[in-house]
Amino acid sequence: MAGAKKEEALGESMKSRTVAAWKVSKPFINGGASGMLATCVIQPIDMIKVRIQLGQGSAAQVASTMIKQEGFGAFYKGLSAGLLRQATYTTARLGTFRVLTNKAIEANDGKPLPIVQKALCGLTAGAIGACFGSPADLALIRMQADATLPAAQRRNYQNAFHALFRIVKDEGVLSLWKGAGPTVVRAMALNMGMLASYDQSVEYFKDNLGFGEYTTLMGASAVSGFFASACSLPFDYVKTQIQKMQPDASGKYPYTGSLDCAMKTLKAGGPLKFYTGFPVYCVRIAPHVMMTWIFLNQIQKLEKKIGL
């Protein structure tokens, strides 16, 4: 009898620990899964955006050239790196944001957070996510830009893991975080715009406008996508230039760092140069943000339905 009670108590203890572990990991798992699903849909637009930033013409010109020269499969070049990036970056940022906001709401006696606190949570979550996702982001940019290089300079990465292996072998481990500075800053700006505006919009649409669940989700997702794009594109532009730069014949790089890149860009093209490809960037970022929230909403519904 005593042994049975002890076994039952042990079983209850293990169940309790499992529930606690799931509660902690749930925001991270859900965030990563929703980001990966969104990436599968949006990858072709992301590829066009990178090619535009590399100076290959308009969206229509880039798409036409890619189809003629590389085939439709080129639009999904770098997908493995994109999925790996979401599995690290989005898992960390969405999970961290939800943990931070939940803690802040508890400290605020359950009351909704002001927009400033939401923005701070978004900035922090973006920085943490970018630190985890920077190697995969570098691999993604390298794979997307590879076809634009002269044949002799192409790296011909087979997939994300091959790219990471080659980068470590040829350039050293720390090279995985090449451009991490602008990547982190860009992520902070994007997540401040995306996460804070989404939560604030949900509250506004529900409480002030009386929107239903579906219209609130779509409206808040659209607002979130726009602010994520507007806040992050200048940093994304600099990040892309840093990550894809090649040394000249003497071994000298065109930029010494992100600040040097920003100043040279500003001098050469003015402030609007940082918004090169904004329509395509917005078309890429906004739907990805929207689909991330929509997928996340559906995942949470499914979990609730099956009792997770």
Side-chain angles (χ1 to χ4, degrees):
M1 182 71 76
K5 286 185 177 180
K6 186 176 180 181
E7 187 175 332
E8 183 180 347
L10 181 61
E12 287 296 324
S13 177
M14 290 181 64
K15 183 179 179 180
S16 178
R17 286 197 294 268
T18 301
V19 171
W22 169 244
K23 186 176 180 181
V24 171
S25 60
K26 185 177 178 179
F28 295 91
I29 293 172
N30 290 352
S34 61
M36 292 174 76
L37 289 170
T39 292
C40 289
V41 178
I42 214 68
Q43 178 71 13
I45 300 176
D46 188 49
M47 172 63 82
I48 293 173
K49 182 267 297 183
V50 170
R51 294 289 182 91
I52 289 174
Q53 288 184 331
L54 295 178
Q56 292 200 330
S58 66
Q61 290 172 331
V62 168
S64 177
T65 300
M66 287 176 65
I67 292 171
K68 289 178 181 177
Q69 297 182 358
E70 304 170 60
F72 285 98
F75 290 105
Y76 279 92
K77 188 174 291 183
L79 178 61
S80 60
L83 292 175
L84 180 61
R85 180 177 182 271
Q86 294 300 317
T88 51
Y89 169 60
T90 300
T91 295
R93 65 177 176 138
L94 290 188
T96 300
F97 178 74
R98 196 49 62 201
V99 169
L100 291 175
T101 52
N102 287 342
K103 292 290 185 183
I105 289 172
E106 286 180 16
N108 203 32
D109 297 325
K111 298 176 183 177
L113 299 178
I115 186 67
V116 174
Q117 288 188 29
K118 291 173 184 172
L120 289 173
C121 289
L123 285 169
T124 304
I128 293 172
C131 289
F132 281 98
S134 189
D137 191 59
L138 175 63
L140 175 62
I141 294 294
R142 289 281 187 89
M143 291 177 73
Q144 290 178 326
D146 203 44
T148 68
L149 299 174
Q153 295 181 18
R154 291 177 188 173
R155 303 177 177 97
N156 299 313
Y157 298 134
Q158 297 171 12
N159 52 54
F161 295 104
H162 180 236
L164 294 174
F165 174 78
R166 282 279 307 279
I167 292 169
V168 171
K169 182 181 177 182
D170 299 341
E171 305 169 47
V173 174
L174 293 181
S175 292
L176 292 174
W177 280 269
K178 184 179 289 184
T183 296
V184 170
V185 175
R186 181 250 189 195
M188 292 173 71
L190 185 148
N191 284 281
M192 180 186 68
M194 171 185 171
L195 301 175
S197 66
Y198 179 78
D199 275 16
Q200 193 70 21
S201 297
V202 167
E203 291 174 13
Y204 180 78
F205 291 148
K206 275 186 177 179
D207 300 338
N208 295 73
L209 301 181
F211 283 7
E213 179 186 355
Y214 179 75
T215 49
T216 295
L217 175 62
M218 296 303 295
S221 297
V223 171
S224 177
F226 174 80
F227 278 102
S229 304
C231 291
S232 65
L233 180 55
F235 304 101
D236 184 81
Y237 182 88
V238 171
K239 175 183 72 69
T240 300
Q241 300 306 310
I242 292 292
Q243 288 182 327
K244 65 94 179 180
M245 65 181 179
Q246 291 276 344
D248 58 20
S250 64
K252 184 179 179 181
Y253 285 93
Y255 309 112
T256 58
S258 56
L259 182 60
D260 181 52
C261 177
M263 296 306 296
K264 286 180 178 178
T265 300
L266 183 64
K267 184 177 180 181
L272 293 180
K273 182 66 175 177
F274 293 106
Y275 281 89
T276 299
F278 179 73
V280 173
Y281 183 77
C282 192
V283 167
R284 182 262 167 189
I285 289 293
H288 191 282
V289 169
M290 291 178 69
M291 283 185 287
T292 298
W293 290 123
I294 291 168
F295 280 126
L296 180 59
N297 179 266
Q298 294 303 308
I299 290 171
Q300 290 171 336
K301 277 187 173 182
L302 177 62
E303 289 172 344
K304 188 175 181 180
K305 185 176 180 180
I306 62 179
L308 288 178

